[in-house]
């Protein structure tokens, strides 16, 4: 998008992003999600979200899993999607947040997260 600005009519560029481009990002992310689910139908189900800006796909290990099982599910998806090294952030109350991100899969950024309630006996 180019606009004329000021009395002299100088050219000014803009990075305005339209609805069509945002919809294309979401379609690309949704198509990649379908491909991922088709290729990995043996993995446990997790929650997926298509992001509203950019081609972003976010997977989240959720539910009432014991800590060890949540970590297993996270690691299984992380390895099968060839995501980068996992980062662990300790939070208050014995909770750990797990994060892993892939660079780009067919122009789609894939992120994976899990919140693990660490416990001593393996139960929640």
């Amino acid at each position: 998008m180019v606009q004329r600005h000021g009395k002299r009519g100088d050219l000014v560029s803009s990075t305005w992003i339209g609805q069509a481009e945002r919809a294309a990002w979401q379609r690309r992310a949704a198509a990649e999600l379908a491909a991922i689910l088709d290729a990995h139908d043996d993995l446990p189900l997790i929650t997926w979200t298509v992001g509203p800006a950019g081609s972003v796909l976010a997977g989240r290990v959720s539910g009432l899993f014991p800590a060890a099982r949540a970590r297993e599910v996270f690691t299984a998806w992380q390895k099968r999607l060839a995501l980068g090294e996992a980062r662990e952030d300790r939070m208050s109350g014995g909770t750990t947040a797990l994060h892993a991100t892939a660079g780009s899969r067919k122009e789609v950024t894939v992120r994976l997260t899990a919140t693990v309630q660490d416990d001593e006996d393996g139960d929640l």
Side-chain angles (χ1 to χ4, degrees), residues 6-110:
K7 292 181 182 178
R8 298 183 317 209
D10 297 335
L11 292 178
V12 177
S13 65
S14 175
T15 57
W16 183 77
I17 297 167
Q19 182 69 13
E21 188 169 5
R22 290 179 186 178
W25 290 337
Q26 287 192 328
R27 280 192 298 276
R28 189 171 25 240
E32 183 59 17
L33 174 58
I36 287 169
L37 294 176
D38 285 343
H40 305 291
D41 63 353
D42 58 321
L43 289 175
L45 295 176
I46 62 174
T47 301
W48 290 97
T49 303
V50 172
S55 291
V56 177
L57 187 55
R60 177 156 180 74
V61 177
S62 57
L64 297 176
F65 288 119
R69 179 69 178 140
R71 285 179 180 278
E72 287 173 10
V73 171
F74 178 88
T75 300
W77 277 102
Q78 176 195 9
K79 287 182 178 181
R80 294 286 288 280
L81 296 178
L83 301 179
E85 288 293 315
R87 185 180 88 237
E88 293 193 19
D89 296 327
R90 292 285 293 160
M91 301 184 317
S92 64
T95 302
T96 301
L98 307 175
H99 310 270
T101 302
S104 187
R105 297 173 52 99
K106 299 178 186 172
E107 299 181 43
V108 176
T109 299
V110 179

